[in-house]
Amino acid sequence: MTMWLIILAAVLAAFAAGTVYLTVAVGRFGLIKKLSGDRKWLKGLISFGIIAIVFAALVFLTSVTNAIIILLSTLMFFLIYGLIFRIIRAVRKKDFTCNWAGWLALVTSAVYLGVGYYLCFHIWQTDYTISTDKNISPMRIALIADSHLGTTFDGEGFAKQLDRIMEQKPDMLLIAGDFVDDSTKREDMITACKALSGLKLNYGAFYCYGNHDKSYYGSEHRGFSAEDLAAELEKSGVRVLEDSVFSADNITIIGRRDSGEKERAEISDLMKDVPAENYTIVLDHQPNDYDNEAAANADLVVSGHTHGGQLFPVTYVGEWFSINDATYGHERRKNTDFIVTSGISDWEILFKTGTKSEYVIIDIQ
């Protein structure tokens, strides 16, 4: 929590300082100079007014969070091009008649955010192949996480993505948390759960809670509780695992309680009665217990939560602050394979510039 308060304070400070810098930068455009008659106070007032109007429009069209992201992204390119053209001016010892730095910053920001929007809303398939010495038949696992229903698609949109996933003929479906969001509508939750009914899976579908699934604001805020969600999932044949273990044949699936909650069981306790010959799959929404999971000899651990780092250049902030053991992709520690997905959707922010949205297909051989 302390880390997030520090990050929030840093973002707000950057937002305030950025607004001041952008006010000056916007004032360098020829039209603003002409309208103000080059009077500094009027130029600043017009520039700030334009920024305020644009920001208000972005809040109306998206949200406060996304408006801040757009402003900070634009600021980043104004700073980059401002520095570049300051160096060029110093070398050529002559000013430019056109505000090239400003125009390039605006165009680059539009491209950067446009690409980020596409990477967020378009969904790719990511494939991994891993091997094991344990005596199991080849198995194909589909993994999804962070659908945050209602952000980039609703319940019907989720059903369409599920059809794509099932075309890969997986033997098992894993849902590694944040299936819903704090703002998900009840009807979208029910529609998505119904889409999970009747799937042709040799081993079934399994789910563990993420940090948003139980809602930070209470069931009244979104019209359903975590218990309602679990009931709908189980009605559709999805096994809900929360610090609990399920075994079938020589496969064991463990779903962990989200690490943000109290009284979470240790992975060593959850695995103590699992036969050593069983192939063990752990669903753990937040990728932050790698050492213990590897020490417990889990075979495969799947996670989400990080959204693949979300935004460049702060992609690896979770690892920098030692909050997460990994941000994205596949890693092997000792005898344990760890996979973190960037998520099939997104929370609140409508852009992914450090990663892309995906579902994952894992072939175990």
Side-chain angles (χ1 to χ4, degrees), residues 44-344:
L45 186 62
I46 293 172
S47 300
F48 181 78
I50 291 171
I51 293 170
I53 291 169
V54 171
F55 184 78
L58 290 171
V59 170
F60 177 76
L61 293 171
T62 59
S63 67
V64 172
T65 300
N66 283 290
I68 292 174
I69 293 296
I70 293 169
L71 184 140
L72 290 178
S73 298
T74 305
L75 169 66
M76 176 175 69
F77 290 110
F78 265 97
L79 288 168
I80 291 171
Y81 284 114
L83 178 60
I84 290 171
F85 277 85
R86 178 171 290 185
I87 294 170
I88 293 173
R89 278 197 305 271
V91 172
R92 73 196 295 259
K93 297 178 181 178
K94 185 179 178 182
D95 212 344
F96 293 93
T97 55
C98 178
N99 184 16
W100 290 111
W103 286 113
L104 284 170
L106 290 176
V107 171
T108 307
S109 298
V111 172
Y112 169 82
L113 291 167
V115 170
Y117 185 87
Y118 179 76
L119 291 173
C120 185
F121 279 76
H122 185 76
I123 299 168
W124 279 262
Q125 176 178 313
T126 300
D127 299 288
Y128 296 101
T129 299
I130 58 179
S131 59
T132 179
D133 294 330
K134 293 189 174 178
N135 185 27
I136 62 170
S137 300
M139 178 170 52
R140 171 166 284 191
I141 296 173
L143 164 66
I144 61 173
D146 302 291
S147 49
H148 292 278
L149 290 172
T151 304
T152 61
F153 51 70
D154 57 13
E156 291 182 359
F158 173 79
K160 291 177 182 177
Q161 295 304 324
L162 190 60
D163 288 340
R164 284 182 61 195
I165 294 169
M166 292 308 296
E167 287 175 2
Q168 302 305 311
K169 296 181 172 54
D171 299 296
M172 180 188 299
L173 173 65
L174 303 177
I175 305 173
D178 280 358
F179 184 64
V180 295
D181 203 275
D182 300 276
S183 58
T184 299
K185 297 177 181 177
R186 181 182 178 88
E187 52 266 34
D188 282 329
M189 181 272 287
I190 293 173
T191 299
C193 288
K194 285 182 178 178
L196 291 162
S197 180
L199 299 180
K200 294 181 180 179
L201 298 160
N202 292 331
Y203 291 98
F206 302 87
Y207 159 86
C208 73
Y209 285 104
N211 55 304
H212 286 276
D213 286 317
K214 295 187 177 182
S215 183
Y216 287 105
Y217 307 109
S219 58
E220 299 81 8
H221 178 74
R222 64 185 183 185
F224 65 93
S225 64
E227 290 74 21
D228 294 330
L229 170 61
E232 291 295 332
L233 285 169
E234 288 173 345
K235 192 189 300 183
S236 295
V238 178
R239 190 174 292 273
V240 177
L241 299 173
E242 186 176 27
D243 276 350
S244 51
V245 182
F246 173 82
S247 294
D249 300 328
N250 53 348
I251 306 292
T252 295
I253 299 96
I254 297 173
R256 302 196 68 183
R257 187 184 298 269
D258 184 68
S259 62
E261 294 192 46
K262 297 177 181 179
E263 300 178 359
R264 177 164 112 136
E266 296 292 333
I267 187 63
S268 56
D269 292 333
L270 292 170
M271 289 192 61
K272 65 182 180 182
D273 295 324
V274 176
E277 64 272 17
N278 279 23
Y279 188 86
T280 307
I281 302 168
V282 178
L283 285 79
D284 191 1
H285 178 64
Q286 301 192 41
N288 55 19
D289 199 24
Y290 276 20
D291 286 343
N292 290 325
E293 288 162 340
N297 290 316
D299 292 291
L300 172 64
V301 179
V302 296
S303 304
H305 183 65
T306 64
H307 296 200
Q310 189 77 50
L311 298 169
F312 175 85
V314 294
T315 306
Y316 297 101
V317 67
E319 291 182 62
W320 296 339
F321 282 88
S322 300
I323 299 299
N324 301 316
D325 290 317
T327 300
Y328 177 75
H330 172 242
E331 176 184 343
R332 187 171 179 86
R333 293 192 185 185
K334 297 182 178 179
N335 297 316
T336 305
D337 289 290
F338 294 89
I339 291 176
V340 183
T341 173
S342 59
I344 196 169

Side-chain angles (χ1 to χ4, degrees), residues 29-40:
F29 285 98
L31 180 61
I32 308 300
K33 289 181 177 180
K34 188 178 292 185
L35 289 172
S36 65
D38 242 357
R39 285 169 289 185
K40 287 186 178 180

